[in-house]
Amino acid sequence: MSEFPSTHNEFSSSNDPAVGGIAADRLRSIIERVERLEEERKGLAGDIKDIFTEAKSAGFDVKVIRQIIRLRKQEPAEVEEQETLLDIYRRALGM
Amino acid sequence: MSEFPSTHNEFSSSNDPAVGGIAADRLRSIIERVERLEEERKGLAGDIKDIFTEAKSAGFDVKVIRQIIRLRKQEPAEVEEQETLLDIYRRALGM
Amino acid sequence: MSEFPSTHNEFSSSNDPAVGGIAADRLRSIIERVERLEEERKGLAGDIKDIFTEAKSAGFDVKVIRQIIRLRKQEPAEVEEQETLLDIYRRALGM
Amino acid sequence: MSEFPSTHNEFSSSNDPAVGGIAADRLRSIIERVERLEEERKGLAGDIKDIFTEAKSAGFDVKVIRQIIRLRKQEPAEVEEQETLLDIYRRALGM
């Protein structure tokens, strides 16, 4: 029964009240920590959105800024190679 | 030309070096702040993953914990209503 | 009780066997049609993957092909404007 | 140069006009086939949406139907095990 913490059972004498044979406090702690971190992630997503709103107000193109951020994550040599290929493919297609 | 910050131009006398008529420092600041926040988000995603790894090691079922977290985000009355309907639909389908 | 089809109830005299007051056949039909369409979608996703595998075998760069497909969805004027801005931003950032 | 199809080059005598050393017709064929399949996928997504609209009009709860579809994809034994665990965890948390 891998689903049940082996160190806790119905007869557990630890301080963790076991309900139905599981470590209730441990489970609650896990869930609350995940929820807290998810809240923080949502906060960061909001902060990022605010910066893009600021960028737009300042007259920048948000889609282009996102493209810049993607390019900065890649190696310069890789970016250059892909841009060369993109040019070749476009010319081949008459674009 | 909404893409160009109206308060900055090639003849700008501010401290912000304008390149091609845009506020380079402002653009750099926007990009670096977004990158920093994205790094933090990635860090949080890693922290959440670590907690689920811990949960699994402690014998918990991670999929069920995720379901618990989803349920806790809903109103109890809504959860109950949906569970009632789920039962009805399953019975109707012979599941 | 908006969840229960108003035209079907426990005392329905139609051919649709009502279980728990709902139109079981209607529900089953809805679910099976969705499942069939989802299967087709999965099939198409597999076909697309196969074409990219073929492209790779033929020596093409799959990431660049995806970029071409994205570009073809946009208006040429929009593509050109964004590429101009991308160049300006890159120069401003010294990239 | 793995990016360039080895069987096609600028001096290719095949019927495929090679532009910049690449097999233009082959590239075009790949792209158009992917675009066609993506169109079909979009069509199917629309069909699925229409069925859910129909389900809603008929008085069904769309979220619950989606849950039914998820459950039908799993093995019955797996569903039962997860529901048992969900009950245990909820009781442990006093939900």
Side-chain angles (χ1 to χ4, degrees), chain A residues 88-89 91-94, chain C residues 60, chain D residues 4-28:
Chain A
I88 293 170
Y89 290 8
R91 244 176 304 133
L93 297 163
Chain C
F60 292 108
Chain D
F4 301 89
S6 55
T7 53
H8 295 89
N9 56 58
E10 284 193 62
F11 313 104
S12 171
S13 59
S14 83
N15 289 325
D16 192 345
V19 180
I22 72 155
D25 283 0
R26 182 79 182 272
L27 179 59
R28 187 181 304 276

Side-chain angles (χ1 to χ4, degrees), chain C residues 2-5 26 31 33-35 37-38 40-41 44 48 51 54 58-60 68-69 72-73, chain D residues 2-5 26 31 33-35 37-38 40-41 44 48 51 54 58-60 68-69 72-73:
Chain C
S2 67
E3 292 80 9
F4 300 91
R26 181 79 182 271
I31 287 167
R33 279 182 289 149
V34 170
E35 287 175 340
L37 293 170
E38 281 182 352
E40 284 182 52
R41 285 191 82 195
L44 289 174
I48 291 172
I51 295 175
E54 174 203 324
F60 292 108
I68 291 278
I69 291 169
R72 281 162 63 102
K73 280 184 189 134
Chain D
S2 67
E3 293 80 9
F4 301 89
R26 182 79 182 272
I31 287 167
R33 278 183 288 149
V34 170
E35 286 175 340
L37 294 170
E38 282 182 351
E40 283 182 51
R41 286 191 80 195
L44 289 175
I48 291 171
I51 296 175
E54 173 201 324
F60 293 108
I68 291 277
I69 290 170
R72 281 162 63 101
K73 280 185 190 133

Side-chain angles (χ1 to χ4, degrees), chain A residues 1 7 23 26-27 29-30 38 41 44 54-56 58 61 66 77 81 83 85 93:
Chain A
M1 295 199 297
T7 54
R26 182 78 183 272
L27 178 60
S29 153
I30 286 165
E38 282 183 351
R41 285 191 81 195
L44 289 174
E54 174 202 325
K56 208 184 161 186
D61 186 301
R66 285 189 194 278
E81 190 194 330
E83 289 182 342
L85 283 173
L93 297 163

Side-chain angles (χ1 to χ4, degrees), chain C residues 7-72:
Chain C
T7 54
H8 295 91
N9 56 58
E10 283 194 62
F11 312 103
S12 170
S13 58
S14 84
N15 290 325
D16 191 345
V19 180
I22 72 153
D25 283 0
R26 181 79 182 271
L27 178 60
R28 186 182 305 277
S29 153
I30 286 165
I31 287 167
E32 288 175 354
R33 279 182 289 149
V34 170
E35 287 175 340
R36 214 149 37 223
L37 293 170
E38 281 182 352
E39 272 311 302
E40 284 182 52
R41 285 191 82 195
K42 220 191 277 180
L44 289 174
D47 292 345
I48 291 172
K49 221 181 138 199
D50 288 348
I51 295 175
F52 282 124
T53 302
E54 174 203 324
K56 207 183 162 186
S57 302
F60 292 108
D61 186 302
V62 167
K63 277 176 82 175
V64 176
I65 289 182
R66 285 188 193 278
Q67 211 170 335
I68 291 278
I69 291 169
R70 266 197 304 277
L71 292 176
R72 281 162 63 102

Side-chain angles (χ1 to χ4, degrees), chain A residues 2 4 6-7 12 16 19 23 29-30 38 40 48 50 54-55 62 66 69 77 79 85 92-93:
Chain A
S2 66
F4 300 89
S6 56
T7 54
S12 171
D16 192 346
V19 180
S29 153
I30 286 165
E38 282 183 351
E40 284 182 51
I48 291 171
D50 289 347
E54 174 202 325
V62 167
R66 285 189 194 278
I69 290 170
V79 171
L85 283 173
L93 297 163

